[in-house]
């Protein structure tokens, strides 16, 4: 996919750039509790400042219903001031801007405006009127058609920021010409976002290693009794189609137990459907033989994607599958394979294990990455072509 990069934009000096980032970060006691997403966009901010631009940063935070002090972006302004060692002008209401006093400006949470979401009442036109150029850097919002993402691009010359460009190039590599063997590890919980990925990825991948809810749906679809396991029954039929594929490597054992991790046991999966869970039990992790099996595929891969946990890793002892697979994935990514990962919990695991730097591309957008890999058009990116 070819998008216009800000690097190819000449004459930036003294231009006002509306920079849409994804600084939707956790805030605790008025402070940025996790700066990962902000850090990733700092190169773009610095690049623009170096080129003499007046930077107007736009982001959302959470899902406010109108103005909500708790979801103010003021803590992010403070963070940026400390980090960049310069003044950041905070604008509570962009519709009241007369003259900007600083070269670096941040608007208040753009979702405080109700029109942002559906881009109604000329919202994006009004927003665009405060700048000369639009730069999208938040891949995490690229799948949104909201006013400050796809909307403003209709009214301004629009470019991709450095972070967005890096993510798109990395992900494009995977869907156009992945080095073979191409192995996709797909787990997690939000099945309605994961199953569609299979449709686009299965024809391109050599193997798919399922985890989490995908395993559960497939077992259910094949007739295994899975008790309380997390599974969206509506997706059963479509899942059945995918798990019949030779590329789809079904687990050979799973850990079942209670949610508190007090009672648990290993269950070997036979070829013929059988009862996996007893009353009160759910499938909560892949078993050690499955990890061994998956390892064989991961160790041969030249392209790897990891999204979603293998199990309910937040509760001991169900973390082993997720941690082991994440470790194998990052080790292989550090070595021969090109490894891409993304997703809220997935990235959390990689960071917790301190193996995130071994991964070639860590996407800041979970939902956006899945939509991109699903082959869907992302409204924010269409506007930059
Ligand atoms: P990501 O944000 O990385 O894309 P998801 O949001 O789809 O991933 O899902 C991650 C969550 O899935 C984790 O919180 C994990 O506990 C949960 N999960 C994975 N497997 C299971 C399972 N078998 N049962 C219950 N929860 C699971
Ligand atoms: Mg998640």
């Amino acid at each position: 996919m070819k998008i216009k990069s800000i690097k190819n934009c000449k004459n930036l000096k003294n231009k006002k750039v509306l920079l849409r980032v994804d600084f939707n970060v956790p805030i605790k006691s008025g402070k940025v509790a996790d700066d990962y997403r902000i850090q990733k966009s700092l190169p773009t901010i610095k690049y623009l400042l170096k080129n003499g631009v007046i930077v107007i940063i736009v982001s959302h935070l959470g899902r406010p219903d109108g103005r909500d002090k708790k979801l103010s972006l003021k803590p992010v302004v403070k963070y940026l001031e400390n980090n960049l060692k310069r003044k950041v002008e905070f604008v509570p209401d962009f519709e009241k801007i007369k003259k900007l006093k600083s070269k670096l400006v941040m608007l208040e949470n753009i979702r405080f405006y109700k029109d942002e979401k559906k881009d109604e009442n000329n919202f994006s036109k009004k927003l665009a009127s405060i700048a000369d150029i639009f730069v999208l850097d938040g891949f995490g919002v690229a799948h949104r058609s909201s006013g400050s993402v796809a909307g403003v691009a209709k009214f301004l010359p629009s470019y991709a920021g450095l972070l967005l460009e890096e993510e798109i190039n990395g992900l494009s590599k995977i869907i156009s010409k992945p080095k073979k063997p191409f192995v996709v590890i797909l787990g997690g919980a939000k099945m309605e976002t994961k199953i569609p990925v299979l449709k686009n990825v299965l024809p391109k991948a050599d193997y798919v290693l399922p985890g989490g809810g995908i395993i559960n749906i497939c077992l259910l679809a094949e007739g295994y009794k899975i008790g309380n396991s997390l599974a969206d029954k509506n997706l059963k039929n479509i899942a059945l189609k995918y798990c019949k594929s030779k590329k789809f490597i079904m687990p050979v054992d799973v850990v079942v137990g209670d949610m508190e991790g007090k009672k648990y046991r290993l269950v070997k999966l036979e070829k013929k459907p059988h009862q996996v869970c007893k009353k009160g039990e759910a499938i909560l992790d892949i078993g050690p033989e499955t990890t061994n099996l998956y390892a064989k595929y991961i160790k041969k891969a030249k392209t790897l994607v990891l999204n979603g946990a293998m199990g309910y890793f937040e509760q001991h002892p169900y973390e082993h599958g997720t941690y082991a697979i994440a470790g194998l994935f990052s080790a292989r990514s550090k070595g021969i394979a090109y490894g891409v990962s993304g997703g809220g919990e997935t990235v959390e695991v990689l960071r917790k294990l301190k193996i995130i730097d071994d991964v070639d591309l860590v996407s800041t957008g979970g939902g956006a990455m899945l939509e991109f890999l699903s082959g869907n058009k992302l409204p924010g990116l269409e506007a930059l072509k």
Side-chain angles (χ1 to χ4, degrees), residues 175-195:
I175 41 178
S176 55
K177 278 193 220 100
K179 274 201 180 155
K180 303 267 182 169
F182 174 24
V183 175
V184 177
I185 312 161
L186 197 61
K190 282 174 275 169
M191 284 311 110
E192 68 285 3
T193 65
K194 315 270 175 166
I195 300 278

Side-chain angles (χ1 to χ4, degrees), residues 6 9-17 47-55 103 132-133:
I6 188 62
C9 177
K10 307 245 154 56
N11 303 326
L12 278 169
K13 205 168 166 51
N14 292 326
K15 292 270 166 46
K16 280 186 257 169
V17 168
Y47 176 87
L48 292 172
L49 288 172
K50 208 177 75 195
N51 281 279
V53 162
I54 298 157
V55 186
K103 288 233 160 196
D132 308 305
I133 293 171

Side-chain angles (χ1 to χ4, degrees), residues 188-190 194 212 216 283-284 307-309 311-314 343-346:
K190 282 174 275 169
K194 315 270 175 166
N216 300 351
I283 302 171
L284 294 165
N307 171 266
Y312 179 40
F313 71 90
E314 291 91 343
E345 277 79 13
T346 310

Side-chain angles (χ1 to χ4, degrees), residues 26 38 82 91 108 146 149 161 188 190 220 230 235 278 309 335 360 372 379:
I38 305 180
N82 286 336
V91 174
E108 179 57 291
S146 46
V149 180
K190 282 174 275 169
L220 184 71
L230 175 87
L235 297 167
K278 289 188 211 145
D360 296 283
F372 193 89

Side-chain angles (χ1 to χ4, degrees), residues 187-221:
K190 282 174 275 169
M191 284 311 110
E192 68 285 3
T193 65
K194 315 270 175 166
I195 300 278
V197 178
L198 289 174
K199 183 171 171 227
N200 196 40
V201 157
L202 207 53
K204 292 178 178 128
D206 296 291
Y207 300 104
V208 171
L209 312 176
I214 300 202
I215 293 177
N216 300 351
I217 297 187
C218 289
L219 290 176
L220 184 71

